[in-house]
Amino acid sequence: RTDLERLYPEGVDEFFEAPELQRILLNVLFVWSKRHPDTSYRQGMHELLAPIVYVLEREKLLDDDDEVLCAVMHADSHSIEADSYWLFECLMEDMAPLFAVAPPS
C-alpha cells in the first residue's frame, strides 16, 4: 500500500490518487501475489501495473469517435480491474524473474 501512495508518474498529476484507482491497483497486485507465492509482491511491480490501469481507464473515458487510443473496451471499474489483472499477468510472465529473490545460501 505504501508503494501505491508514492505512485506519481510525471504528467498524470493526481490521477493515481483517486481511491477507486488505488483499490484497483491494490486488488490486482494482491491477487497476483497470492497466485504467485514464489515471487509475491516486490517493490516496483506497481510501476509496471500503473500504465496498464492508466490506458484502460483513459480508454473508458474516451468518446466513441475518438481514435487516439486503440479500442480496448468501454467498461466499468470491475472490467478494468479484471483486464488490468490479465494484462499484468501476461507482462509478468517475462518480468517476474527480475523480481525473484535468491534463496539464502
Side-chain angles (χ1 to χ4, degrees), residues 11 15 25 29 34 36-37 40 52 55 70-71 78-79 82 87 101 104:
F15 181 82
L25 291 163
L29 292 169
K34 289 299 182 185
H36 299 83
S40 192
I52 293 170
V55 169
C70 63
H78 296 292
S79 296
L87 290 169
V101 176

Side-chain angles (χ1 to χ4, degrees), residues 2 4 53 66:
T2 301
L4 297 180
V53 173
D66 195 342

Side-chain angles (χ1 to χ4, degrees), residues 12 18 21 23 30 32 39-40 42 48 52 58 71 74 80-81 85 89 95-97 100 103:
V12 292
L21 292 177
R23 184 192 62 75
F30 178 79
W32 190 90
T39 305
S40 192
R42 299 284 181 255
L48 298 177
I52 293 170
R58 293 277 303 171
H74 294 281
I80 289 173
E81 185 173 319
Y85 176 82
E89 176 77 31
M95 300 301 286

Side-chain angles (χ1 to χ4, degrees), residues 10-16 21 24 49-77 79-81 83-84 87:
E10 210 172 298
V12 292
D13 302 318
E14 299 173 353
F15 181 82
F16 288 104
L21 292 177
I24 289 171
L49 176 59
I52 293 170
V53 173
Y54 180 77
V55 169
L56 292 175
E57 181 67 21
R58 293 277 303 171
E59 179 65 21
K60 180 181 86 171
L61 300 174
L62 291 176
D63 293 331
D64 290 340
D65 296 334
D66 195 342
E67 296 181 23
V68 174
L69 297 174
C70 63
V72 177
M73 68 186 318
H74 294 281
D76 60 18
S77 62
S79 296
I80 289 173
E81 185 173 319
D83 291 344
S84 294
L87 290 169

